[in-house]
Amino acid sequence: MVVSVLEEMRIRSLGVIDDAVVELSPGFTAVTGETGAGKTMVVTSLGLLLGGRADPALVRVGAKAAVVEGRIAVDRRSPAAVRAEEAGAELDDGTLLVSRTLSAEGRSRAHLGGRSVPVGLLGELADDLVAVHGQTDQQGLLRPARQREALDRYAGDAVAAPLAKYADAHRRIKAVAAELDELSTRARERAQEADLLRFGLDEVAATEPLPGEDAELAAEAERLGHAESLASAATAAHAALAGDPEDPEGVEASALVAGAHRALEAVRSHDPALAALAGRIGEIGILIADVAGELAGYAGDLDADPRRLAAVEERRAALTHLTRKYGEDITAVLAWAERSAERLGELEGDDERITELTAERDALRAELGALAQELSDARAEAAGRFAEAVTAELAELAMPHARVSFAIRQNATDDEAAGIEVGGRAVTFGPHGADDVELLLTPHPGAQPRPIAKGASGGELSRVMLAVEVVFAGSDPVPTYLFDEVDAGVGGRAAVEVGRRLARLARTAQVVVVTHLPQVAAFADRHLVVEKTHEGSVTRSGVKAMEGEDRVRELSRMLAGQEDSQLARAHAEELLEAARAGR
């Protein structure tokens, strides 16, 4: 079996503890001490190591921070070791070092295997390492949700497998229901949105804009609006370059350039530099001729028709109407139209989508109903075994006439659309199925089964909790169990039986018990005592392992409040002998 053992904890500046080391061992360890000596700080310290809530009030007065360090021997195959190594933690020869620091200002830091880690990671490891039980845990067991979790844990794969499928289907039906609700409640808004999109798309389609058309028309309008001045300028430029037929005496640029070219051509053979200049002037002449030709063509083609200008302006007005509403230019308007057409397709497909989702929801409800029935059957079968096993344990814990049972019920609903069908009727359902699970206790024959919150006294509840954990240990073992005053309200023979059951639990797991009962402490393999100094603090030497005569003296103190009472010593020795014989 893959095991883990909590070997040691060092506690500094936590509550009444100044600096103390708690050395633990496999088997059954009892922690005792005077009231207020700091026994519960052992539980608190372990809670911090396992990612529990950090209360700055726990920091010792005058200290800057409280520190708890733990050393846990782990098997590398264990889930905790695998998860720790995935987080970057290093195992030191099979030992996992864990630390938690809590500052007086409330800041909290965690380290695992020498690596700083989120505090939440310690909580993830806790489920695989330690089961902590104290008075608050007993109160938690009173909640039906915790009782259902306990039963499901005991049932194992018989519940876990269908529950995983159920959880997936439940998440999906929630998503489907949310989408259906959104489609239904926003139907009016979506219809209005669709109408607006259709109107805009109709406007764009009626205008039939082309990409870049607005820019082209703007340029054409500018040209048509200044047609006369443009024609006059082109004609004058052409005359300056190529001459004006109506002015034979005028000087044109082409003639001047031609004369310059002829003058240089006559002597170009005498000087290469002059020849190069003659070539450049020739290029100028060609360029002047080309430009003059284009100017003549421009002036001849220029359209000064007022009707064309009116048509351009009318078209520009239509395009401006679109850009004012749907985009800064026609390119943006066309992009809006493309997006809007897609969105309109989505909106117009709502009815079809509602039909699809409704069919899926109905199929999921049928699937959930079948899975919920499978869960209920598996829980009922496990409940019988669980109740029988816990009842047997209670008989060993001085509750021979008590019986434990489970009530597994479904709540009918008149709204069939909101429920699922289980057992031929519509019932409410949740993320864990359709069952309400409640643990019942019948304390004696003739009594009616009642919820343990109402049917169990404090001492009985402690024993029920212990019995439940012993049963769990056989089916879903945890390496270490820590009980904080699980024997509260228990005395006499019942206390002896609690000690015996804890000792038996320690055969397969490490068990640490904070107790005030000598009958329980007598069964321990290792007995630790927490002692305060005269200044009211627990120092390094304040946690002592009791053996031999020291252990007899501590049990005497617990029995009679007097360490040297001969009667108490005799009783203590008798307890130890009975514990050794009755394991």
Side-chain angles (χ1 to χ4, degrees):
M1 184 176 68
V2 179
V3 297
S4 301
V5 176
L6 179 62
E7 296 181 331
E8 179 183 281
M9 282 196 303
R10 183 178 183 186
I11 309 166
R12 287 178 286 173
S13 302
L14 186 72
V16 298
I17 298 180
D18 180 25
D19 188 347
V21 175
V22 181
E23 295 182 355
L24 302 170
S25 62
F28 180 7
T29 299
V31 181
T32 65
E34 295 279 4
T35 301
K39 301 186 301 297
T40 300
M41 285 298 105
V42 175
V43 180
T44 302
S45 299
L46 187 56
L48 288 172
L49 282 182
L50 299 177
R53 188 178 67 87
D55 184 355
L58 294 172
V59 179
R60 185 170 173 78
V61 176
K64 293 182 179 180
V67 180
V68 181
E69 299 169 318
R71 189 174 73 241
I72 305 174
V74 295
D75 190 307
R76 286 187 177 273
R77 297 168 296 169
S78 68
V82 172
R83 181 68 184 91
E85 289 188 319
E86 288 176 350
E90 295 183 1
L91 297 183
D92 183 9
D93 193 23
T95 299
L96 184 63
L97 301 179
V98 187
S99 70
R100 183 84 178 274
T101 303
L102 171 62
S103 73
E105 290 79 23
R107 292 188 300 273
S108 176
R109 298 193 306 274
H111 289 80
L112 183 67
R115 177 67 63 89
S116 178
V117 296
V119 172
L121 178 59
L122 302 185
E124 292 180 25
L125 301 182
D127 291 339
D128 296 318
L129 291 175
V130 180
V132 180
H133 294 290
Q135 297 300 308
T136 56
D137 299 280
Q138 292 181 19
Q139 295 302 313
L141 188 63
L142 302 182
R143 298 198 301 270
R146 286 286 299 275
Q147 294 168 13
R148 189 208 66 248
E149 291 172 5
L151 179 60
D152 289 354
R153 175 183 160 197
Y154 179 80
D157 288 341
V159 164
L163 183 57
K165 296 178 183 178
Y166 179 95
D168 288 341
H170 186 266
R171 282 191 292 270
R172 179 56 191 158
I173 202 171
K174 286 295 183 184
V176 168
E179 188 173 353
L180 273 172
D181 183 65
E182 194 269 342
L183 289 174
S184 301
T185 57
R186 291 191 55 203
R188 180 179 300 175
E189 292 86 345
R190 296 167 75 89
Q192 291 174 346
E193 182 184 358
D195 285 343
L196 288 174
L197 291 176
R198 284 193 203 92
F199 180 81
L201 289 170
D202 288 345
E203 281 195 318
V204 174
T207 305
E208 296 182 340
L210 299 175
E213 183 183 4
D214 50 343
E216 293 176 2
L217 289 174
E220 185 178 0
E222 183 73 12
R223 186 169 60 253
L224 291 171
H226 299 81
E228 292 184 4
S229 59
L230 291 173
S232 176
T235 300
H238 178 269
L241 294 176
D244 184 354
E246 297 180 0
D247 184 12
E249 296 182 359
V251 180
E252 66 274 13
S254 57
L256 294 175
V257 171
H261 184 258
R262 287 193 299 272
L264 295 181
E265 279 291 320
V267 295
R268 64 179 296 167
S269 60
H270 302 302
D271 188 349
L274 199 61
L277 292 173
R280 290 169 64 185
I281 290 176
E283 293 173 358
I284 292 173
I286 295 171
L287 181 59
I288 288 175
D290 288 343
V291 172
E294 291 183 15
L295 286 171
Y298 177 84
D301 295 339
L302 191 62
D303 186 2
D305 186 354
R307 290 174 296 179
R308 174 56 186 167
L309 178 59
V312 168
E313 292 295 351
E314 183 179 355
R315 179 62 176 173
R316 289 185 70 200
L319 296 180
T320 300
H321 175 74
L322 296 180
T323 56
R324 249 194 327 263
K325 297 171 67 174
Y326 307 116
E328 60 183 12
D329 55 28
I330 291 301
T331 299
V333 169
L334 292 172
W336 173 88
E338 184 176 356
R339 292 193 306 271
S340 298
E342 292 177 0
R343 175 59 177 163
L344 183 59
E346 295 175 2
L347 295 172
E348 290 177 337
D350 278 357
D351 291 342
E352 181 179 348
R353 180 60 177 159
I354 288 174
T355 301
E356 292 175 356
L357 289 172
T358 300
E360 183 178 3
R361 182 195 61 191
D362 293 343
L364 285 168
R365 288 178 61 222
E367 180 183 358
L368 285 169
L371 289 169
Q373 183 66 65
E374 185 177 351
L375 281 172
S376 187
D377 293 343
R379 283 169 175 153
E381 189 279 331
R385 292 186 291 108
F386 184 91
E388 183 178 348
V390 173
T391 297
E393 288 296 327
L394 289 177
E396 297 290 336
L397 292 170
M399 294 177 66
H401 304 298
R403 295 194 61 82
V404 166
S405 60
F406 275 99
I408 301 176
R409 313 180 185 90
Q410 294 91 32
N411 296 317
T413 176
D414 295 331
D415 186 0
E416 294 186 4
I420 57 176
E421 184 176 331
V422 179
R425 59 177 185 153
V427 299
T428 60
F429 66 102
H432 304 287
D435 298 324
D436 285 341
V437 176
E438 193 166 32
L439 186 61
L440 307 178
L441 176 68
T442 306
H444 54 81
Q448 291 296 317
R450 302 183 67 192
I452 60 172
K454 300 176 181 178
S457 65
E460 288 173 336
L461 184 58
S462 297
R463 281 178 278 176
V464 171
M465 186 66 190
L466 177 57
V468 166
E469 205 56 76
V470 170
V471 172
F472 276 150
S475 61
D476 186 19
V478 174
T480 298
Y481 294 89
L482 179 60
F483 293 94
D484 182 17
E485 297 191 9
V486 70
D487 48 21
V490 176
R493 178 171 173 266
V496 173
E497 294 303 330
V498 167
R500 181 177 287 113
R501 301 313 289 170
L502 289 168
R504 291 183 185 177
L505 181 59
R507 294 174 185 173
T508 57
Q510 181 185 32
V511 177
V512 181
V513 179
V514 177
T515 181
H516 66 283
L517 291 180
Q519 295 96 326
V520 173
F523 280 89
D525 301 303
R526 182 178 178 82
H527 189 161
L528 301 179
V529 175
V530 181
E531 296 178 341
K532 289 197 296 187
T533 64
H534 295 299
E535 291 78 18
S537 65
V538 178
T539 63
R540 178 179 287 271
S541 61
V543 181
K544 298 179 180 179
M546 297 287 104
E547 297 180 358
E549 184 64 25
D550 290 337
R551 188 175 186 188
V552 172
R553 189 163 48 250
E554 171 61 13
L555 291 176
S556 299
R557 180 199 64 76
M558 296 174 70
L559 282 164
Q562 300 176 6
E563 299 178 359
D564 299 324
S565 166
Q566 292 302 315
L567 184 60
R569 287 174 60 82
H571 192 183
E573 291 172 351
E574 183 181 355
L575 273 179
L576 288 170
E577 183 61 31
R580 281 191 290 268
R583 283 175 175 273

